[in-house]
Amino acid sequence: MHPISVHHLTAAALSPKDFIDTVARAGGEAVSLFTDSQGDHFPCVRSDNARAVGKQLRDTGVALINIDAFMLTPTSDIKTFRADLARGAELGARSATAIIFDADRNRGKDNLQRLSEIAAELGLNIALEFMPFAPIARNLREADHLLDDIDAPNLGITVDVLHLIRSGGTAADLPAVSPQRITTVQLCDSASMAVTTEYIEEAASQRGLPGDRIFPLAQIIAAAPESCVLEIESPHNQNDPARARIEQGLDYLKTLN
């Protein structure tokens, strides 16, 4: 069975501490949280709340699977990410997400290599998340080829099903990648199978819960490596109760897992 996690984007109005508590009450066992590298865009784990977040993780028994997200841009100073990576490692995180927004492939590759090296020193893996609206690593194949050019055994790929489908990908693409390389499959749903780069608003705040709409999630999960984490990532701009949404998503995944 796959480990199951819930990403903080699924209930981004909650503080990290309240999110952990809500996931625990919904029957969840693991979460992904944002770090200070995200600035003020999301509720983050920071130096001033990390101790309380750690206590909440211990008290609830919820595991921290992953920390988000380290943006690699033309001006990124990779060594400045160490503090956030270290904070995540101290809280028990296993991995951290990297996203490349840099049209220079060589620079993006070198920055990803350096980030992976720092993460390895802290006992963390790095998972590259591809996105069709990014300048490189726009789909699963491109992300896989980029990793072929990097010598970092702790480097893998996060497959967000929305990005997979919007980039023209299907469940059949997953077995073409080494099973050790796909670390997480993030799940949501949509009423459209469109291939497009014009979906940033949907990605940020208009995703359905897994099983709500028409994405072929059963086929994607069946094609995913057994060792990878299945994660609910379903940001939305509705006022539905967070616990009910999380319970619904977890119940659906448990029927497929």
Side-chain angles (χ1 to χ4, degrees), residues 16-17 20 30-36 44-59 61-68 83-95 122 124:
K17 184 179 175 183
I20 294 164
V31 294
S32 287
L33 299 175
F34 289 107
T35 67
D36 209 11
C44 295
V45 179
R46 307 180 190 277
S47 58
D48 60 356
N49 68 359
R51 181 173 296 180
V53 170
K55 183 176 186 303
Q56 192 73 357
L57 290 168
R58 292 190 299 274
D59 289 350
V62 171
L64 177 58
I65 289 280
N66 185 73
I67 53 174
D68 257 6
D84 284 316
L85 290 168
R87 189 173 299 123
E90 289 169 5
L91 292 172
R94 305 175 192 176
S95 63
L122 298 167
L124 291 171

Side-chain angles (χ1 to χ4, degrees), residues 40-226:
D40 296 323
H41 299 295
F42 303 104
C44 295
V45 179
R46 307 180 190 277
S47 58
D48 60 356
N49 68 359
R51 181 173 296 180
V53 170
K55 183 176 186 303
Q56 192 73 357
L57 290 168
R58 292 190 299 274
D59 289 350
T60 59
V62 171
L64 177 58
I65 289 280
N66 185 73
I67 53 174
D68 257 6
F70 295 85
M71 301 289 184
L72 308 184
T73 71
T75 60
S76 292
D77 183 355
I78 304 303
K79 65 179 180 292
T80 64
F81 292 144
R82 178 180 286 274
D84 284 316
L85 290 168
R87 189 173 299 123
E90 289 169 5
L91 292 172
R94 305 175 192 176
S95 63
T97 302
I99 301 169
I100 302 176
F101 278 99
D102 189 342
D104 186 322
R105 188 181 189 277
N106 286 332
R107 181 171 55 209
K109 180 186 70 173
D110 291 345
N111 280 337
L112 187 58
Q113 172 90 48
R114 286 194 287 272
L115 183 69
S116 298
E117 290 169 354
I118 294 172
E121 294 170 8
L122 298 167
L124 291 171
N125 296 318
I126 293 292
L128 174 64
E129 183 171 352
F130 63 88
M131 298 179 176
F133 45 78
I136 62 174
R138 296 168 297 180
N139 54 50
L140 179 56
R141 180 180 55 81
E142 288 186 6
D144 192 36
H145 288 175
L146 181 66
L147 266 59
D148 285 340
D149 294 337
I150 300 174
D151 182 16
N154 64 325
L155 185 55
I157 297 172
T158 287
V159 177
D160 181 320
V161 297
L162 182 64
H163 301 322
L164 178 71
I165 289 170
R166 295 290 175 262
S167 66
T170 70
D173 296 326
L174 273 67
V177 178
S178 168
Q180 291 77 29
R181 188 164 276 183
I182 297 177
T183 61
T184 305
V185 175
Q186 294 179 324
L187 301 164
C188 64
D189 218 331
S190 174
S192 169
M193 294 290 291
V195 176
T196 179
T197 59
E198 303 297 324
Y199 70 103
I200 294 178
E201 187 174 355
E202 177 188 29
S205 63
Q206 295 179 2
R207 302 193 194 200
L209 283 168
D212 262 0
R213 301 175 188 174
I214 66 170
F215 275 178
L217 298 182
Q219 294 94 318
I220 291 170
I221 291 171
E226 291 186 5

Side-chain angles (χ1 to χ4, degrees), residues 215-248:
F215 275 178
L217 298 182
Q219 294 94 318
I220 291 170
I221 291 171
E226 291 186 5
S227 59
C228 79
V229 174
L230 300 181
E231 182 164 79
I232 301 168
E233 186 183 78
S234 180
H236 67 110
N237 54 12
Q238 307 287 324
N239 291 320
D240 301 337
R243 178 174 171 179
R245 281 179 54 80
I246 293 168
E247 285 177 343
Q248 180 182 334

